[in-house]
Amino acid sequence: MKEPRTYKVMRGTLDFLFRVLFRPTIEGAENIPEEGRIILAGNHTHFMDCITVAAATKRCVHFLAKSELMEPPLKFFFAPFGIIPVHRETKDKAALQSAIDVLNDDKVIGIFPEGKVNNETGTLLPLKFGAVKMASVTNSRIVPFVITGKYKFLRKRIHIKFFEPVTVGENLEEANNMLWNVINDNLQREIKLLDK
């Protein structure tokens, strides 16, 4: 599977503009393997979170995102970037299989398991099972991440931190609870540091 050509062509420009305009602080990027299948999973605070995650690694991140992004006119911007559309009103088996195919080709999947933007600062919604399901089926590890702060134009307010990869077992409920705890514990820790 070839990476989206547009992603490669525009990546540098978009990354530069984002870093200049929003000045994100990125920590723990070394926890993202330089090769091999991996799932990046974390909390979802803003529609620009996907850019923040993508800016942290040189690898192409294939995001699972709401299907509305693949409808005109948004489709013309998002389609070339390897977005996997998810129909959130149903259990979208086609989207799950597409993501599994990406992982089986040793690529990177990005997912926000909360399933939507969470506007309640400092909280983590229950996680949907997509991340742990993909990890279990493809024998992929998950790199949890936490995003804190606010997107402020030309101000260094947004922060993302990646943590050591975790491995899930066959019991998806236990795996999902474990992932929630890892993300939530680190979210609370980062918020406390932010408040100091």
Side-chain angles (χ1 to χ4, degrees):
M1 176 186 296
K2 292 183 178 180
E3 303 288 25
R5 185 171 182 273
T6 305
Y7 195 109
K8 290 183 177 181
V9 172
M10 297 184 64
R11 166 58 196 265
T13 301
L14 290 175
D15 184 46
F16 173 77
L17 289 174
F18 181 71
R19 287 175 181 267
V20 169
L21 296 178
F22 293 100
R23 303 177 184 177
T25 300
I26 300 171
E27 285 189 74
E30 66 276 6
N31 289 314
I32 304 174
E34 294 182 1
E35 57 185 25
R37 64 191 66 177
I38 200 75
I39 299 168
L40 309 180
N43 64 317
H44 200 7
T45 68
H46 194 276
F47 76 92
M48 288 197 300
D49 289 343
C50 58
I51 304 176
T52 304
V53 175
T57 176
K58 294 180 179 179
R59 300 187 67 182
C60 174
V61 182
H62 297 263
F63 283 97
L64 283 100
K66 60 183 181 180
S67 58
E68 290 85 348
L69 295 181
M70 297 302 286
E71 296 175 0
L74 295 176
K75 177 180 180 179
F76 301 105
F77 177 78
F78 287 104
F81 289 93
I83 295 290
I84 299 173
V86 178
H87 297 275
R88 295 181 294 176
E89 66 279 2
T90 63
K91 289 186 177 181
D92 196 336
K93 294 182 179 179
L96 179 62
Q97 186 57 54
S98 294
I100 288 172
D101 291 343
V102 168
L103 290 168
N104 282 334
D105 200 33
D106 288 335
K107 300 294 191 298
V108 183
I109 285 290
I111 186 171
F112 301 102
E114 290 175 283
K116 63 179 181 179
V117 172
N118 179 4
N119 294 314
E120 296 296 324
T121 303
T123 66
L124 185 68
L125 299 174
L127 306 185
K128 297 185 182 298
F129 282 78
V132 295
K133 174 69 173 178
M134 289 185 292
S136 178
V137 170
T138 63
N139 194 31
S140 301
R141 293 182 301 165
I142 300 175
V143 172
F145 64 81
V146 164
I147 297 175
T148 52
K150 299 291 184 181
Y151 290 90
K152 298 291 185 180
F153 192 60
L154 295 178
R155 301 181 71 178
K156 197 172 184 178
R157 294 290 181 84
I158 198 71
H159 180 270
I160 184 169
K161 187 171 183 178
F162 296 88
F163 301 92
E164 292 184 2
V166 297
T167 302
V168 306
E170 295 181 359
N171 187 318
L172 297 187
E173 187 168 350
E174 287 183 2
N176 213 39
N177 288 336
M178 177 272 293
L179 182 60
W180 188 91
N181 286 324
V182 170
I183 295 173
N184 185 63
D185 289 350
N186 284 299
L187 175 61
Q188 302 311 318
R189 190 174 297 114
E190 291 301 308
I191 288 173
K192 287 181 180 179
L193 292 173
L194 195 65
D195 290 339
K196 286 184 177 180

